[in-house]
């Protein structure tokens, strides 16, 4: 377990796609949808093999802070980042990166969504361990999921040139990102063998993502 490795769990969504089970007062990340804990709890539990509880940060809507405290009693209250207003994923990651860089100039962030269902957590952790090694070299890393169908509900990542192998995990450059395609394009992506579903899981050094955000921010 690296002393410089931190998790940022994104838990601010309103969960509208699972309405009416998921409501604005208690969206899906705070619900028990399986046989275990809530989706938020299971996300943090999966990361426990790699990341200590005191290194877990949760970004959420200010109104959901009491739910996070109730469901994650081992996470320090200071690690719960209450967003003053929803501004999307990138600003949320930037806010957390500022906190982490202040705490640890060598911090490596693992950005996780609080609403993922993971059938094989050991495979995810193996990929995260390899990705952490790559991220320490300054790369911005994202995980792709091998598609099993031409889904129009996911974003896609087109892989580019092979970069390296780490602990039997293949690492390639990203050629392009594609948002949710129509059925014909999704079928073409699947047939090409060059596209992965975008898992929305990212690994990078806090200082590197802040450099990129500064370089691309509106002027």
């Amino acid at each position: 377990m690296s002393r410089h490795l931190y998790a940022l769990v994104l838990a601010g969504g309103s969960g509208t796609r699972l309405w009416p089970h998921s409501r604005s007062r208690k969206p899906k990340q705070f619900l028990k949808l399986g046989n275990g804990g809530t989706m938020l709890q299971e996300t943090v539990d999966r990361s426990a093999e790699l990341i200590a509880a005191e290194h877990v940060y949760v970004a959420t809507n200010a109104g959901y802070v009491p739910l996070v405290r109730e469901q994650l009693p081992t996470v320090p209250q200071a690690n719960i980042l209450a967003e003053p207003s929803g501004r999307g994923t990138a600003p949320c990651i930037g806010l957390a990166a500022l906190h982490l860089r202040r705490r640890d100039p060598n911090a490596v962030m693992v950005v996780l969504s609080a609403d993922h269902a993971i059938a094989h957590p050991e495979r995810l952790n193996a990929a995260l361990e390899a990705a952490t090694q790559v991220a320490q070299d300054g790369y911005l890393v994202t995980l792709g999921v091998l598609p099993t169908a031409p889904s129009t509900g996911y974003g896609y990542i087109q892989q580019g040139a092979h970069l390296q192998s780490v602990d039997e995990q293949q690492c390639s450059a990203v050629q392009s990102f594609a948002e949710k395609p129509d059925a014909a394009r999704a079928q073409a992506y699947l047939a090409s063998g060059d596209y992965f579903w975008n898992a929305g899981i990212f690994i990078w050094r806090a200082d590197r993502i802040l450099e990129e955000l500064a370089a691309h921010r509106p002027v």
Side-chain angles (χ1 to χ4, degrees):
M1 189 181 299
S2 170
R3 62 191 178 93
H4 298 300
L5 190 60
Y6 299 80
L8 169 65
V9 181
L10 305 178
S14 56
T16 55
R17 283 186 289 183
L18 279 186
W19 185 90
H21 192 56
S22 173
R23 302 296 185 100
S24 59
R25 292 190 302 275
K26 197 173 186 179
K28 60 184 176 181
Q29 62 267 31
F30 301 109
L31 301 178
K32 292 184 179 181
L33 300 180
N35 296 322
T38 67
M39 300 194 82
L40 173 63
Q41 290 170 330
E42 291 185 347
T43 299
V44 174
D45 287 346
R46 281 193 300 268
S47 71
E49 183 178 332
L50 302 177
I51 302 169
E54 59 267 23
H55 280 200
V56 174
Y57 283 71
V58 180
T60 191
N61 182 297
Y64 299 148
V65 169
L67 283 171
V68 176
R69 289 177 175 169
E70 175 187 337
Q71 295 191 4
L72 300 177
T74 63
V75 172
Q77 292 192 15
N79 291 11
I80 302 173
L81 307 180
E83 299 177 78
S85 60
R87 288 292 183 267
T89 302
C92 176
I93 290 172
L95 174 64
L98 288 170
H99 282 268
L100 288 179
R101 187 179 63 177
R102 187 180 301 122
R103 173 175 175 171
D104 180 354
N106 298 310
V108 176
M109 301 172 62
V110 175
V111 182
L112 303 167
S113 295
D115 59 356
H116 281 168
I118 306 294
H120 301 283
E122 72 282 357
R123 297 182 189 176
L124 172 62
N125 284 335
L128 290 175
E129 283 189 288
T132 298
Q133 295 182 51
V134 177
Q136 286 173 336
D137 292 331
Y139 287 97
L140 306 182
V141 186
T142 185
L143 299 189
V145 177
L146 190 66
T148 58
S151 173
T152 60
Y154 299 130
Y156 285 75
I157 304 168
Q158 182 185 17
Q159 69 173 344
H162 176 74
L163 295 177
Q164 58 182 295
S165 298
V166 180
D167 297 335
E168 300 182 355
Q169 302 287 331
Q170 302 301 310
C171 180
S172 300
V174 172
Q175 182 69 27
S176 66
F177 290 95
E179 283 305 310
K180 300 177 180 68
D182 57 28
R185 284 192 298 147
Q187 184 62 56
Y189 292 164
L190 184 66
S192 75
D194 291 334
Y195 287 81
F196 294 84
W197 286 334
N198 190 344
I201 297 174
F202 308 101
I203 308 92
W204 43 51
R205 293 196 331 239
D207 62 342
R208 280 290 294 117
I209 191 59
L210 287 171
E211 289 174 358
E212 295 297 327
L213 289 172
H216 296 283
R217 67 186 177 188
V219 294

